[in-house]
Amino acid sequence: MIQDFALTIAPRTDTNSLSDLRGATIGIDASFYLSFLLTSYDEPLLTVLGGLPLAFRHHISIHLEFLRQNDITPIFVFNGLDIGRKYMPFKTSDETTKSISEGWDLYVRGLGQDAVKKFGQSKHADPEQYNRLLQSILHEKSMEFIVAPYDSAAQLAYLLKSGPEYVDAVVGSLELLLYDIEKVITSLEFSYDQSLPLNKIDYSQAQFTFVTQQACIEELGLASHDQLVDACILSGSSLLPTLPTLSNGPMNMMSNKIRSVVDMMKRDGQTGLSLCLQLQDDESMKKEDYVDRYRRSRIAIKHQIVLQSSGRVRPFEAEQIPSDLNALIGQRLPEELYYYLSIAILSPGPLNQLTSAQIFEVAPTDGGESAEYRSLIKDKLTAIRSSTLALLSSPLHRAYQFRDVVLRCWFDQNLETIVAVKGITAPGQVIQSWHVRGESLPNTAEEFTLKMAVGAARSNGFGTRSKTKKDNAKPLKTKVEIKANTLWRFLHIRDYINDQHELTSWGLVLNAALSPGDQSNDSDEINEAVLIAIELLRYGLLNANNMFPTYTGAPIRGSTNDKRNTLLVSRVASLLSLRHKPVGYVGPLSRHILGYASLINAVRSSLRDLLEVTFTTLLLNGDADRDVLFANNANDLTDISLKHLPCSSPSNCGLGVAMKDYLDHEELAGLPDNEVTDARKQRVLELAAGKDGGDGGWFSEAVDLRGDLKKAWLLWDKVYAGVQAGLKSGLVKDKELWETCNEWTKIRRT
């Protein structure tokens, strides 16, 4: 976002009825739209609950219906890879963490309303972490989207300039003007009663606001588009931070950055370059290497890489490509890989890490004060990160295969930890025995799941049937073949399956955890939670240790054993999300449980990266029939990634908090088993959920608190079955903890 630009040109904008766009196709910048959602439908407790915004799905569905009712076709464009290296990657995170910590201090002091206000004032997290949610909704509704190779604004500009057969207008931030667009829609304004169902909303009440490039040039008193670009990027944008001498200048210069830049340009040479050269000896300019970064930003705008209508990935002005463009964007990637990025098979994260050779870990929303969390991020996840990046690099340019990646964390920003890519056992070689075709699959149903993949590896003769070499004459062709082989390769890399295609000791633990329970209540959500639970066991993090001694919100009632058991059960429950109505969260908070949810989501994210890379390299290596897939079923590839691969969505900590508050309530906590009666349990449930699920409970906006708690108990049984298998094999050591806790839970279950 260009600093102060929107406010400056507000008088020059025009507003029309959305119906004026009837019959049009509009390109929408997805990051801009997600930022609009975050600011328009504020959920002040989002940062301290974790997970996905609770009302996003509801509002997105309504907005898409507005467009449909007005005969407008949207094409959402998502950002792809970063260009260049990140500047001050921890700044926003550090500010957010400080604000949230102040909110927790208020909460502990009993100042609930002040705490909520403080939480809501903290800077929102990167909206792009919700890309997968928006992509999934668009995919479910068969609406078109693409992920740009790099910058979404550049891709939108290309679509608009390529003619009316692509898009008629674009919606996004004013940074679109950097790419010489004549008109930009800067907002879509939907007016509706949020309490109404979709079929009761008046879809005629909507407007859009737009501005022209010429109006912006006139408002700022500039002479050309070239000057407008300079003014925009020097005032502070996604491409370049604010001119240092302006940031460090008097307050009247900071009050409107873009006008201050224009005044300086008029005084010192009319162009951005002349202004930078005039100021290059300033210490703040030298410290930030600002002149060079300015030049790089101008090159990035002029030669931005886009996905063309032909499917080729090319710069805007391909005939004038500078010889050192790779210094800006890195070694060229295969066009096939950009295609997989464009259809959301692979998220930009792992590719950014590989191409930049850097990983930045910012503080989680709980603050990241736990030694266990820091050890997980800095040390324990290194192996899976190495496997993921080594696998991704295997079909790419050798420059990526022989360059390690550096990890930097918020808690020691100058310390660099090596994430090895070169010199490790290449996962690509390990998994080349997985080319299992339809005739050898244990189940050819389209819904081939993680549970099926693990169960198949337990069956007699599976190793013999499944060890298959690549046959170029018989590549994988069907959706189920691709899903099955992706899951088996993933399980092999994570050491749940060995080179003989048999379950390892940890594979047997995972199989035991996935197998028991009421199968009618089984679900992919629960089985994904089981996988993460077993991973946490492997990391030594699924326990009742006090990992967050500085945090409030741990169990406080009953004996030491009661508190220990409550904590362990609540941590297992945190693997699942609390279902909530599409409004901001209503209910108690726990920084302690939020801290544990951060551990869960860090593990989940690392697993998801490996799954996506495993899927992508299966395609890059030619193990599947590209002609068949691209000609007839390219949508199936997106479907596999967004709907059928596990660990796609982070969980909120609401269910963990609910379980903790239920077990730790004064009606139940500390009582001997013979005093924990059904009547007492019912009273606590009514206090939590409201009588008969009605209003008045602590979790009054939960969809079905009783049902979610029952689901958490089902998950507990599965995890405990895995623990029992681990105890027998010696992989799990806390026998007394788990057996005592399981016995303790029996009388306290809902």
Side-chain angles (χ1 to χ4, degrees), residues 362-411:
V362 300
T365 55
D366 67 272
E369 296 177 11
S370 163
E372 284 82 356
Y373 183 82
R374 294 182 177 189
S375 174
L376 174 70
I377 294 300
K378 178 178 171 291
D379 303 313
K380 294 181 178 180
L381 291 179
T382 299
I384 190 171
R385 283 174 165 151
S386 289
S387 295
T388 300
L389 296 176
L391 180 60
L392 181 57
S393 71
S394 58
L396 304 183
H397 192 283
R398 285 175 61 85
Y400 293 122
Q401 298 173 20
F402 291 92
R403 182 176 64 170
D404 290 333
V405 172
V406 171
L407 168 69
R408 289 173 57 199
C409 300
W410 79 96
F411 55 86

Side-chain angles (χ1 to χ4, degrees), residues 605-620:
S605 180
S606 68
L607 293 172
R608 179 67 190 189
D609 285 348
L610 179 56
L611 277 159
E612 290 183 2
V613 167
T614 303
F615 181 23
T616 301
T617 53
L618 181 149
L619 300 171
L620 281 173

Side-chain angles (χ1 to χ4, degrees), residues 71-111:
D71 192 25
I72 299 168
T73 302
I75 299 175
F76 285 81
V77 180
F78 293 81
N79 276 320
L81 304 183
D82 296 333
I83 288 188
R85 297 198 166 199
K86 290 185 177 180
Y87 173 73
M88 297 180 70
F90 303 107
K91 183 175 185 295
T92 300
S93 169
D94 290 347
E95 293 171 353
T96 300
T97 301
K98 181 176 182 294
S99 179
I100 292 174
S101 182
E102 291 170 356
W104 282 115
D105 290 341
L106 293 168
Y107 187 77
V108 171
R109 288 158 51 195
L111 302 174

Side-chain angles (χ1 to χ4, degrees), residues 547-700:
M547 292 187 269
F548 310 97
T550 63
Y551 290 178
T552 57
I556 59 174
R557 294 184 176 90
S559 66
T560 300
N561 280 347
D562 288 327
K563 288 183 280 190
R564 181 189 69 171
N565 294 337
T566 297
L567 190 58
L568 181 58
V569 175
S570 300
R571 287 176 174 176
V572 171
S574 298
L575 290 155
L576 298 171
S577 284
L578 177 74
R579 291 174 295 165
H580 198 277
K581 295 174 185 175
V583 295
Y585 174 70
V586 177
L589 300 172
S590 168
R591 193 177 185 183
H592 198 107
I593 300 298
L594 177 65
Y596 194 75
S598 296
L599 287 168
I600 292 170
N601 285 319
V603 171
R604 180 207 61 80
S605 180
S606 68
L607 293 172
R608 179 67 190 189
D609 285 348
L610 179 56
L611 277 159
E612 290 183 2
V613 167
T614 303
F615 181 23
T616 301
T617 53
L618 181 149
L619 300 171
L620 281 173
N621 290 329
D623 296 339
D625 191 324
R626 295 184 180 92
D627 293 336
V628 171
L629 292 168
F630 296 166
N632 303 316
N633 303 304
N635 192 57
D636 282 352
L637 299 178
T638 303
D639 198 60
I640 291 171
S641 181
L642 295 182
K643 289 178 63 177
H644 299 291
L645 293 185
C647 305
S648 61
S649 298
S651 58
N652 62 55
C653 70
L655 189 52
V657 175
M659 180 64 82
K660 190 267 295 184
D661 281 12
Y662 166 74
L663 293 172
D664 198 40
H665 192 269
E666 58 189 11
E667 281 273 355
L668 297 177
L671 296 180
D673 289 355
N674 62 351
E675 293 184 25
V676 180
T677 63
D678 289 343
R680 283 182 179 274
K681 291 189 289 185
Q682 184 61 27
R683 280 199 297 273
V684 177
L685 283 174
E686 288 179 358
L687 287 169
K691 194 167 184 178
D692 298 324
D695 295 334
W698 314 321
F699 299 90
S700 58

Side-chain angles (χ1 to χ4, degrees), residues 15 406 426 481 525:
T15 300
V406 171
E481 287 176 343
E525 178 194 16

Side-chain angles (χ1 to χ4, degrees), residues 136 198 329 392 621 664 703 715:
S136 296
L198 266 64
I329 65 171
L392 181 57
N621 290 329
D664 198 40
V703 172
L715 175 60

Side-chain angles (χ1 to χ4, degrees), residues 484-511:
N485 283 277
T486 296
L487 289 171
W488 281 322
R489 292 178 181 204
F490 163 78
L491 292 167
H492 194 163
I493 294 171
R494 286 303 297 144
D495 294 323
Y496 290 109
I497 296 177
N498 62 24
D499 292 344
Q500 287 69 48
H501 289 203
E502 299 169 342
L503 292 179
T504 63
S505 297
W506 277 114
L508 292 171
V509 170
L510 178 60
N511 181 66

Side-chain angles (χ1 to χ4, degrees), residues 65 76 132 137 183 205 257 422 516 542 577 636 705 716 745:
E65 186 61 18
F76 285 81
R132 277 298 192 223
I137 295 170
K183 294 181 182 179
Q205 301 302 306
K257 297 184 183 66
K422 63 182 180 182
L542 189 55
S577 284
D636 282 352
L705 181 62
W716 171 269
T745 66

